[in-house]
Amino acid sequence: MTTTPTTTVPHVNRPREVEADAAKDDSQLRQKQMISGHFEKLATAKEDGRKVAYTFVPGNLTELMLALDMLPVLPEINALQSGMRKLSGNYITEAEKLGHSEDVCTYVKCDIGMMKSGNIGPTGTKLPSPDILLLSYTGCFTFMKWFELLKQEYDCPVTMLHVPYQGDGHITPEMRSYVVGQLEREVIPALEKAAGKKLDLDRLSELLERSRRAEDDLVAVWESAQHRPSPIDGYFGGVYYIGPIFSAFRGTQDAIDYYRMLRGEVEERIRKGQGPVTPDGDATEEKYRLVVEGPPNWTNFFDFWRMFSREGATVVSSTYTRVGGLYDTGFRHDPKDPLGTLADYCLGCYTNLNLPMRTKLLASYIEKYQADGFLINSVKSCNSFSAGQLLMLRELERKTGVPGGFIESDLVDPRYFGKANIENRVQSYLQMLEARKTRASA
Amino acid sequence: MKVVVGVDLGSTTTKAVLLDEQRRIVGRGITNSRSNYEVACAVAREEALTASRFTMLERELVRRASELGGDPMAREAALREAFRLETYLEQLGELHEELERVLKSLSFISDRGKLSPAIRDVVDTMRTEAPKLFDGAGGRKSDFFRDLAGSGYMAAAEVVSSASHGAVGYERLTSVFDRAILDVETRLKSRDFGVLLRKAALRLTAEDGSAAGRALLEAVEFAAGQPIDEMSFVGTGYGRQTLPFPKQAVKSEILCHGRGAHRVFPGTRTVLDIGGQDTKAIQVDDSGVVTSFQMNDRCAAGCGRYLGYIADELNLGLHELGPLALGAERTVKVNSTCTVFAGAELRERLGLGERREDILAGLHRSIMLRAMSLLARSGGIDNEFTFTGGVCKNPMATKVLRELVDENYSKDVVLNAHADSIYMGALGAALFGVDDLEAGRPAILPTFVEKVRAGAAAAPAE
Amino acid sequence: MSHAEVAPNPQDPALPVLERARRLVDDLRFGEVSRWKERNPGKLAIGYMPIYVPRPLLEGIGCLPVAVFGGGDQVDIIKGDSFYQSYICHIPRSTLELALNGSLDSLDGMLFPSICDVIRNLSGMWQMLFPEKYASYVDLPQNFDPELGGRFYVLDLQRILRDLEARGAAKYDPERLRAAIRAENSRRAALAELDLLRVKEPFRVRASEAYLVARTGGVLETAEHERFVREFVAAARERAPRVYDNVRVLVRGSFCEQPPLGLIKTLESAGCDIVDDDFQLGLRYIEGDIECGPSDDPLVALSNAFLRRGQATASRYIGDEEKGAALVKSVREVEADGVIFAAASFCDPALLDQPMLETALDRAKIPHTSLKFAENTGQFQVIREQAGAFSDAVKLWGSAA
């Protein structure tokens, strides 16, 4: 359902002034090294005796896996990478040939198609089979089916963590103790068995402390968008920023270093009065400030981005970049209560919030980041996101008085990216914002 | 005269509207989009320019009404018909040339010697018959040359063929026509408005030196001779991305439709536009600025194309669907608005013995239900409510829409549907063009239009 | 309905009860619920979406649980469609349409059990659209350990009790809940008898009839529904046996959005005796009795029944057991010849489950075919042909090949 790309921007044209932008490239290079290092470890995991867990981005228990020296593989990220590398179309067709319905989530079909085609990962090497499937059922029903399907393919145990949904808009003690209980009695024993070692709670706490530090810097990066012009794009650019922390690196020194470096670069851009980096280099003007709800399309990611960047539209905040952890409303991992904090983390992921909460969060972003408008990209694959978005649109317009736009695409199914249609809607929407602005100032 | 041009490149038709500096409509043009937006854009603009000269002519005739005597509007109408006749005759000449060219290009034919004079006879007959088409008595069924020439040619060919006692076959004659007409239709010939109008005027008024006759010819000279300056240009519509318009000269059709509808019906707050490819629900404020909009998603269910598909299924013309559906005794519940399933559902219901009219009533209702959902999505229906786009010409669609508005909103909502609503997008575009002009940043129609006119651009058939 | 229906036989002993069932099921304005409220002033009627909520819990505090299955094929969707993209199933649209056109006004609240993300999100939409009504998501546990999922479930049931009590329901009394459980068990036994009759003598009971009879349970009190079911079973036994040459099939995948009755009848007229199905699974979700002794905690009893006896349906996570094993077992038990998967378009649970179930059936060499529908599907010709071909193939060669 949800995710983030983890390699560095593959097709972004490098801006002309290489010197001036060297600082920005540092964090990107750093991320690239981190990711490729991780895939190198995965490539030799079996020979090195490392254990591998497949798991999902929302509600990922990275610190727990790392504390047991396990290597995480995130099928959602593999799927979106396949989308960006234009492989997803064939993978999806492959899965549909095997009997998977055209109606269902294309991440699942892309993953299954990839597996059936040799399980070659984003860096071109074969991914190791899982030693355990860690099914963190957080905010997405399809996750359960996905790992039921994978279980048929792999001869390995599955451990399931049911994270209750915030149906009434808050985390109750009952939910928390349910999650902690599952961690204690089922998930951790299953992971220990697969890892062949006992969990050291002190080590887990150390990892959680490092998570907290990286999270502080990430929040500072998000909040930099309050400046005019915003030094970041909090959606198209944002999906790169969440790379390390939503995948295999939360709790590592690498993550701390990366976010510290990124924060420094962003602060430097503010000092220089620079806008965000776009696929065509530095943004030249900030004409519209937008908030975006919903995942991006990956098969035409750069086409999609340019529809905004070339019109001077910067996304100042987005909800998609909160699927693997919502930190800007105050949550931080707490080393003093390792299991409780993991429970709070899972329960608080964006997709685990009910619709009134999601609407409220979006309204707060619109206000906090002084957005001119908000846009919903509704993806066919993901009912967790999409069902109800049209009501959110209506409510947000009513609450904030800011106009909303609505476009439809898909995550990784190229058949559902109608470029002309989407471009038409985006342009119409931006022109409407401009017409309203002109009228307001007249 | 100074004019501002708005062009709406729709998926089915391309429209042009010219406004003068007082934002009055002075000319309109429409043509098939022919999957070639360059030609379509040039043709529509040309037609609008011609229309604007008639506007000038009309204004001049009104101004000189006392010298001319009689009803200036009737006179203008007669001139317009005569002008059309002259244009038609000129086109006939082009057709004849093309027929000869086709004839020459055919190799291995033995009857060329017989065909050429026969074709000349056919064209001559058409020339003789032509005035009857343009006598203002409604003798023609279409304004498109292809249709007029087609039926005229067939009729004349029959006469010529039977007069030859089998020496020249009817089929031989028509096959040459079929090959020639495409090129004639898509080749864009520049016409001299002045020459044609002068000829037209002379048809109505002999050069008798009378004051009235002189005044008429002077008015014609005035309309033909006045320069028309295109001051500003804005393009919109489905095809706008495919043409090399400067960025500032391109406006989204949502904004244009909203503004155009608001201009025609100034009370408009909600606009529903159902075109061939998409359906739009638009909300505008009291000055015609769009405040919110929704478009149908990627599936074309409930658009004009869906009706076209149903018409094909039933072997009917698109324009026949609405009137037929009005004859329904009851409304069959039809649930598939999916174009793919609608045909199957239609056949199944026909198979069950349902009346065609009743099923059609159900189909219309199901389309309008989709439109109602889209309207609800965009913020509902506010008074006044304006219905535009090709489907608004369908009387059943309008009737069902009225009923649904009554059921779901209020009987007090004013529902505007205008015969000319197809021009709303181009009108809105032109209004944006006037804005640009007043703001001192007008864009000019790109030069490719001139190139198309000069025949440089390819002009493939539909 | 426009599909050709066979005229009812006036001599049929089951006709009166079927006609009453049809009236109850077709009444999308829930007149029966309004009448119940008139008879029971001050009491609450609580609606719930498929698949399963523990109805005795509601009856135990004096509420009428009302099953809401969308609007079928008889509602014009205007407002409902305005909330949903084209790639979302149909039931939430028609359900919202009913709510917005006043058809659900007699309901004081709605429960949304966890079946998929669409219905889950509908709970939040309900909270936003109808703030004056009670609307709550019921996150049925996917962990089936009594100490974990069971404990959480009991606590969640207590939350619902507190919520409803605050809105005027009777105070929770374990004795009344035990009584409600007994009534539920008794009704369940009646439904089991109906199911058995279908399996043993399918010529006596059409699936479309059993469907109507079961569905009336969505608006009736348990005891009344039990009488209704027993009345029908008794009448069906009176029917003269007929010779038939149909194949015996199971239908799976229609547990939430319901196929139009015309579709069920189409399958039957194409030569398929539906001897088992998962239409409106709710009432039969717990297999067998809810075990609850006189001194047992009835909330724990409800929880244990869910954990241990809940059916292996698509919205329920299957961890250690083999996927599809339960389906193969059902096929054997009812001696079916094959399985028809009938899923609603865009139904994530059913469609994601289906390939796994098909694999299990293939391994067990059980023929199967699949189709998709929407609750308002209006054409059955293609389905008729498909089901006819399937039944012929099974009859001739014992497989769908």
Side-chain angles (χ1 to χ4, degrees):
Chain A
M1 165 186 60
T2 49
T3 36
T4 154
T6 51
T7 56
T8 53
V9 183
H11 309 294
V12 168
N13 300 327
R14 288 282 158 242
R16 284 86 41 203
E17 309 88 335
V18 177
E19 282 302 301
D21 285 297
K24 174 189 75 257
D25 279 344
D26 282 350
S27 74
Q28 289 189 344
L29 280 174
R30 172 108 204 168
Q31 179 172 161
K32 189 172 182 176
Q33 285 161 1
M34 286 159 68
I35 305 289
S36 58
H38 181 66
F39 277 99
E40 279 162 27
K41 281 186 207 158
L42 284 173
T44 60
K46 297 288 159 186
E47 297 131 62
D48 302 344
R50 298 288 302 265
K51 300 297 178 186
V52 174
Y54 282 21
T55 195
F56 296 107
V57 170
N60 71 75
L61 302 169
T62 304
E63 297 90 343
L64 198 52
M65 290 182 276
L66 295 183
L68 288 163
D69 294 312
M70 301 184 97
L71 293 170
V73 169
L74 297 133
E76 292 156 282
I77 294 181
N78 296 338
L80 82 84
Q81 289 288 349
S82 298
M84 288 181 115
R85 290 181 302 138
K86 311 277 182 206
L87 299 171
S88 55
N90 286 339
Y91 289 157
I92 291 166
T93 317
E94 187 67 26
E96 288 178 359
K97 269 192 246 159
L98 294 169
H100 292 268
S101 166
E102 71 237 48
D103 290 356
V104 302
C105 175
T106 54
Y107 269 0
V108 177
K109 286 184 282 185
C110 182
D111 185 41
I112 286 174
M114 183 179 100
M115 182 182 62
K116 294 287 184 189
S117 314
N119 218 21
I120 306 299
T123 53
T125 51
K126 188 167 163 46
L127 290 170
S129 297
D131 296 290
I132 189 166
L133 296 167
L134 169 51
L135 167 51
S136 173
Y137 167 39
T138 304
C140 166
F141 173 85
T142 299
F143 285 167
M144 281 196 294
K145 296 288 122 186
W146 194 338
F147 273 14
E148 281 181 355
L149 283 159
L150 286 198
K151 185 172 175 266
Q152 294 204 317
E153 304 294 332
Y154 295 114
D155 181 26
C156 76
V158 193
T159 182
M160 138 79 115
L161 177 68
H162 175 201
V163 177
Y165 182 68
Q166 293 196 45
D168 286 342
H170 51 262
I171 298 171
T172 64
E174 291 88 344
M175 294 176 184
R176 199 170 187 265
S177 67
Y178 177 36
V179 177
V180 170
Q182 291 176 81
L183 288 173
E184 280 173 341
R185 295 175 49 132
E186 294 196 348
V187 175
I188 292 173
L191 288 177
E192 284 177 334
K193 197 172 166 203
K197 61 177 74 169
K198 280 283 167 200
L199 176 69
D200 176 352
L201 274 178
D202 290 338
R203 194 170 163 210
L204 178 60
S205 289
E206 284 165 28
L207 285 151
L208 291 166
E209 167 60 23
R210 286 200 285 273
S211 298
R212 189 189 62 70
R213 289 174 58 195
E215 286 156 8
D216 279 342
D217 284 332
L218 173 63
V219 170
V221 169
W222 292 147
E223 293 185 338
S224 73
Q226 291 175 95
H227 287 269
R228 281 174 189 268
S230 167
I232 61 162
D233 184 290
Y235 183 55
F236 297 107
V239 298
Y240 293 98
Y241 305 153
I242 55 180
I245 205 160
F246 278 14
S247 62
F249 297 95
R250 206 177 60 219
T252 64
Q253 186 60 43
D254 273 342
I256 292 178
D257 296 345
Y258 169 79
Y259 285 102
R260 177 50 45 93
M261 186 184 275
L262 177 67
R263 181 178 181 173
E265 288 167 6
V266 167
E267 283 166 356
E268 180 67 15
R269 296 187 78 81
I270 293 176
R271 269 193 295 281
K272 291 181 181 163
Q274 286 172 316
V277 184
T278 78
D280 304 309
D282 283 352
T284 49
E285 62 171 340
E286 183 183 278
K287 229 168 136 187
Y288 315 99
R289 295 167 64 85
L290 302 178
V291 166
V292 174
E293 146 77 13
N297 162 275
W298 300 112
T299 55
N300 297 64
F301 183 77
F302 294 97
D303 288 336
F304 194 33
W305 188 350
R306 285 193 176 96
M307 288 179 200
F308 294 84
S309 61
R310 289 186 174 169
E311 301 292 332
T314 299
V315 184
V316 285
S317 192
S318 65
T319 50
Y320 174 70
T321 50
R322 273 63 167 175
V323 292
L326 179 60
Y327 301 110
D328 46 356
T329 53
F331 170 80
R332 296 288 184 279
H333 279 92
D334 176 6
K336 290 193 283 299
D337 177 13
L339 300 190
T341 204
L342 285 174
D344 289 337
Y345 156 75
C346 293
L347 287 159
C349 284
Y350 179 70
T351 46
N352 208 46
L353 310 185
N354 73 358
L355 256 66
M357 295 172 85
R358 284 169 61 189
T359 309
K360 208 171 134 199
L361 184 70
L362 278 158
S364 78
Y365 286 162
I366 289 166
E367 192 189 345
K368 180 174 179 179
Y369 295 98
Q370 298 163 55
D372 304 307
F374 68 92
L375 195 102
I376 294 176
N377 182 40
S378 173
V379 295
K380 170 188 171 279
S381 273
C382 187
N383 288 342
S384 174
F385 258 106
S386 302
Q389 278 176 328
L390 283 159
L391 177 60
M392 290 169 68
L393 176 92
R394 201 179 287 188
E395 278 293 299
L396 276 170
E397 284 190 333
R398 199 179 55 80
K399 271 190 180 163
T400 64
V402 160
F406 196 79
I407 48 182
E408 291 165 89
S409 64
D410 187 46
L411 297 169
V412 290
D413 192 336
R415 294 170 296 188
Y416 284 86
F417 190 85
K419 192 179 173 202
N421 184 302
I422 292 171
E423 194 154 28
N424 189 8
R425 289 193 198 201
V426 172
Q427 278 188 1
S428 297
Y429 176 69
L430 295 177
Q431 288 180 12
M432 177 180 90
L433 287 187
E434 188 172 18
R436 286 175 61 134
K437 263 190 193 174
T438 314
R439 174 157 161 71
S441 62
Chain B
M1 185 165 59
K2 292 183 165 58
V3 296
V4 170
V5 187
V7 175
D8 177 4
L9 300 144
S11 61
T12 324
T13 53
T14 291
K15 287 76 63 174
V17 165
L18 303 188
L19 296 180
D20 66 12
E21 285 172 299
Q22 287 74 49
R23 299 178 184 239
R24 291 177 300 189
I25 296 174
V26 293
R28 292 187 309 203
I30 183 167
T31 185
N32 288 333
S33 292
R34 306 179 168 91
S35 33
N36 183 331
Y37 286 114
E38 293 194 13
V39 171
C41 181
V43 171
R45 170 180 167 275
E46 186 79 32
E47 220 184 283
L49 284 169
T50 303
S52 72
R53 292 210 176 268
F54 273 103
T55 304
M56 283 194 280
L57 175 65
E58 185 188 309
R59 288 178 186 169
E60 188 66 9
L61 291 175
V62 170
R63 197 176 67 79
R64 306 178 69 157
S66 59
E67 291 168 65
L68 286 156
D71 176 7
M73 301 312 277
R75 197 177 298 273
E76 194 261 351
L79 264 174
R80 206 183 271 269
E81 282 293 275
F83 176 84
R84 286 199 179 112
L85 171 59
E86 294 301 339
T87 310
Y88 177 71
L89 290 173
E90 192 168 298
Q91 284 169 311
L92 273 187
E94 288 155 21
L95 175 64
H96 193 189
E97 280 172 32
E98 185 61 26
L99 290 165
E100 283 297 331
R101 202 188 59 75
V102 168
L103 209 53
K104 282 203 189 77
S105 73
L106 295 173
S107 40
F108 311 114
I109 59 167
S110 53
D111 54 354
R112 196 186 320 240
K114 277 183 281 180
L115 275 178
S116 180
I119 283 172
R120 194 185 57 233
D121 288 348
V122 168
V123 175
D124 283 346
T125 312
M126 289 169 77
R127 270 190 229 283
T128 317
E129 296 292 313
K132 286 185 206 154
L133 293 171
F134 300 94
D135 58 4
R140 63 180 185 277
K141 293 204 170 57
S142 164
D143 275 334
F144 290 117
F145 177 70
R146 183 196 183 117
D147 302 335
L148 289 179
S151 52
Y153 189 94
M154 301 312 146
E158 223 173 286
V159 174
V160 170
S161 167
S162 63
S164 77
H165 301 292
V168 183
Y170 173 75
E171 260 81 52
R172 299 289 296 154
L173 287 168
T174 54
S175 71
V176 182
F177 176 82
D178 289 343
R179 300 184 62 159
I181 187 66
L182 272 182
D183 274 358
V184 176
E185 197 198 19
T186 48
R187 193 186 306 138
L188 197 70
K189 278 236 49 180
S190 191
R191 292 184 205 292
D192 191 322
F193 177 83
V195 170
L196 290 169
L197 191 63
R198 255 175 243 118
K199 278 192 195 167
L202 286 173
R203 254 180 209 278
L204 299 180
T205 307
E207 273 183 295
D208 57 1
S210 74
R214 227 173 26 245
L216 181 69
L217 289 176
E218 280 166 19
V220 164
E221 288 309 320
F222 174 81
Q226 278 288 326
I228 296 182
D229 296 326
E230 293 168 61
M231 306 299 291
S232 175
F233 165 82
V234 166
T236 187
Y238 193 75
R240 67 180 187 274
Q241 312 286 5
T242 63
L243 289 189
F245 292 157
K247 195 171 169 184
Q248 71 184 98
V250 172
K251 272 277 184 294
S252 131
E253 69 248 42
I254 299 278
L255 269 72
C256 293
H257 273 93
R259 189 154 180 198
H262 183 268
R263 159 69 190 275
V264 177
F265 299 105
T268 299
R269 289 295 175 279
T270 303
V271 181
L272 172 67
D273 180 89
I274 307 186
Q277 290 286 354
D278 58 26
T279 303
K280 312 175 192 85
I282 306 170
Q283 310 287 343
V284 297
D285 67 11
D286 56 6
S287 52
V289 173
V290 174
T291 56
S292 115
F293 69 89
Q294 287 285 334
M295 292 167 75
N296 63 311
D297 51 34
R298 59 192 286 284
C299 112
C303 301
R305 165 169 295 194
Y306 171 86
L307 282 175
Y309 185 80
I310 296 300
D312 289 349
E313 280 283 327
L314 291 172
N315 248 326
L316 289 170
L318 188 56
H319 59 282
E320 294 173 90
L321 289 184
L324 196 60
L326 284 174
E329 287 164 6
R330 52 186 280 273
T331 302
V332 170
K333 198 164 163 52
V334 174
N335 290 318
S336 314
T337 37
C338 176
T339 345
V340 182
F341 293 124
E345 183 158 354
L346 181 71
R347 286 191 297 275
E348 183 167 342
R349 294 200 182 277
L350 283 171
L352 287 167
E354 304 269 13
R355 289 178 72 227
R356 202 165 61 154
E357 291 82 350
D358 299 348
I359 302 170
L360 279 177
L363 285 164
H364 280 81
R365 187 171 167 87
S366 84
I367 290 178
M368 297 323 277
L369 282 171
R370 297 246 337 175
M372 290 299 283
S373 288
L374 206 63
L375 283 159
R377 204 183 267 195
S378 78
I381 294 176
D382 273 341
N383 202 17
E384 296 171 8
F385 175 37
T386 301
F387 181 24
T388 69
V391 174
C392 105
K393 285 193 283 189
N394 178 319
M396 187 63 178
T398 316
K399 176 171 176 274
V400 172
L401 185 62
R402 178 75 254 178
E403 288 164 5
L404 288 168
V405 172
D406 291 351
E407 285 166 30
N408 292 280
Y409 293 90
S410 155
K411 288 191 195 311
D412 299 332
V413 170
V414 176
L415 172 58
N416 305 308
H418 196 284
D420 289 339
S421 72
I422 199 162
Y423 290 101
M424 298 293 185
L427 172 60
L431 287 167
F432 280 110
V434 179
D435 287 353
D436 289 347
L437 184 62
E438 287 174 356
R441 48 178 164 79
I444 300 301
L445 191 63
T447 51
F448 75 82
V449 170
E450 302 306 323
K451 277 194 230 144
V452 171
R453 276 220 289 185
E462 289 172 50
Chain C
M1 311 197 78
S2 62
H3 49 83
E5 287 190 27
V6 182
N9 168 16
Q11 309 301 316
D12 180 4
L15 190 60
V17 63
L18 282 174
E19 283 184 340
R20 182 161 170 237
R22 185 64 189 260
R23 278 197 302 277
L24 284 172
V25 171
D26 279 353
D27 178 13
L28 292 172
R29 300 196 74 88
F30 292 91
E32 188 63 26
V33 177
S34 305
R35 289 189 285 279
W36 180 88
K37 289 185 79 169
E38 280 162 26
R39 293 198 302 273
N40 298 277
K43 291 194 174 175
L44 306 181
I46 304 295
Y48 65 91
M49 296 298 291
I51 302 176
Y52 171 78
V53 301
R55 292 173 58 102
L57 183 83
L58 299 170
E59 295 204 311
I61 51 171
C63 298
L64 178 69
V66 179
V68 177
F69 283 111
D73 55 1
Q74 292 302 305
V75 183
D76 277 342
I77 309 294
I78 297 172
K79 299 189 180 88
D81 262 353
S82 75
F83 293 103
Y84 287 106
Q85 304 88 328
S86 59
Y87 50 77
I88 288 186
C89 59
H90 208 269
I91 186 171
R93 303 163 198 270
S94 60
T95 304
L96 273 178
E97 192 76 30
L98 292 179
L100 291 165
N101 74 17
S103 298
L104 304 183
D105 284 357
S106 57
L107 303 181
D108 301 286
M110 278 288 278
L111 296 176
F112 300 85
S114 63
I115 173 164
C116 70
D117 293 337
V118 172
I119 300 300
R120 182 198 71 184
N121 287 8
L122 185 59
S123 69
M125 295 172 73
W126 219 269
Q127 292 166 355
M128 289 158 86
L129 286 166
F130 312 107
E132 72 289 355
K133 300 259 184 174
Y134 179 63
S136 190
Y137 178 61
V138 185
D139 208 343
L140 298 165
Q142 297 291 359
N143 176 297
F144 303 102
D145 179 342
E147 292 301 312
L148 295 169
R151 185 189 298 270
F152 172 72
Y153 187 41
V154 168
L155 291 169
D156 207 40
L157 295 179
Q158 287 171 350
R159 171 186 67 86
I160 296 169
L161 291 173
R162 280 195 308 273
D163 286 353
L164 290 176
E165 195 187 316
R167 290 182 173 252
K171 196 168 163 45
Y172 170 60
D173 169 3
E175 198 41 58
R176 286 191 65 183
L177 180 51
R178 285 190 204 99
I181 289 173
R182 282 194 297 277
E184 185 65 50
N185 287 342
S186 185
R187 181 243 301 271
R188 185 71 181 81
L191 284 170
E193 224 176 291
L194 174 60
D195 289 343
L196 193 66
L197 187 62
R198 276 170 71 190
V199 172
K200 296 284 183 207
E201 300 179 303
F203 51 84
R204 289 194 197 279
V205 184
R206 314 297 289 159
S208 48
E209 297 169 343
Y211 178 87
L212 284 175
V213 170
R215 189 156 160 187
T216 56
V219 290
L220 297 176
E221 284 184 356
T222 306
E224 194 184 350
H225 184 234
E226 183 189 336
R227 284 193 294 277
F228 201 96
V229 176
R230 292 198 188 279
E231 196 184 325
F232 174 73
V233 171
R237 288 214 169 100
E238 295 299 309
R239 285 171 161 174
R242 278 179 286 123
V243 183
Y244 75 104
D245 181 30
N246 288 350
V247 298
R248 297 165 65 89
V249 301
L250 259 82
V251 175
R252 281 292 183 272
S254 314
F255 40 78
C256 178
E257 182 171 329
Q258 296 297 292
L261 205 56
L263 192 152
I264 302 175
K265 291 182 176 177
T266 298
L267 296 181
E268 293 175 333
S269 65
C272 299
D273 271 331
I274 304 169
V275 291
D276 186 19
D277 60 67
D278 60 359
F279 305 141
Q280 40 169 350
L281 187 59
L283 295 176
R284 296 182 296 139
Y285 183 75
I286 305 293
E287 292 181 292
D289 278 357
I290 301 166
E291 287 168 15
C292 183
S295 56
D296 289 345
D297 179 341
L299 291 174
V300 173
L302 286 177
S303 169
N304 285 341
F306 174 82
L307 300 176
R308 293 173 189 152
R309 293 173 172 270
Q311 282 203 29
T313 187
S315 63
R316 189 177 172 104
Y317 173 64
I318 306 287
D320 297 330
E321 295 148 61
E322 195 188 326
K323 206 60 204 181
L327 175 59
V328 173
K329 186 163 160 265
S330 294
V331 172
R332 306 284 189 233
E333 272 170 9
V334 300
E335 294 172 13
D337 304 305
V339 174
I340 296 178
F341 291 101
S345 290
F346 303 107
C347 174
D348 274 352
L351 293 170
L352 285 161
D353 231 30
Q354 199 172 303
M356 295 184 269
L357 301 183
E358 286 172 342
T359 305
L361 292 178
D362 287 341
R363 270 202 300 266
K365 300 203 166 26
I366 296 166
H368 54 86
T369 186
S370 70
L371 56 93
K372 282 195 293 186
F373 67 87
E375 60 180 354
N376 67 342
T377 298
Q379 44 143 142
F380 306 114
Q381 189 54 41
V382 177
I383 291 171
R384 184 174 298 124
E385 281 162 24
Q386 186 187 347
F390 180 68
S391 83
D392 288 347
V394 170
K395 254 185 274 181
L396 286 174
W397 300 294
S399 84

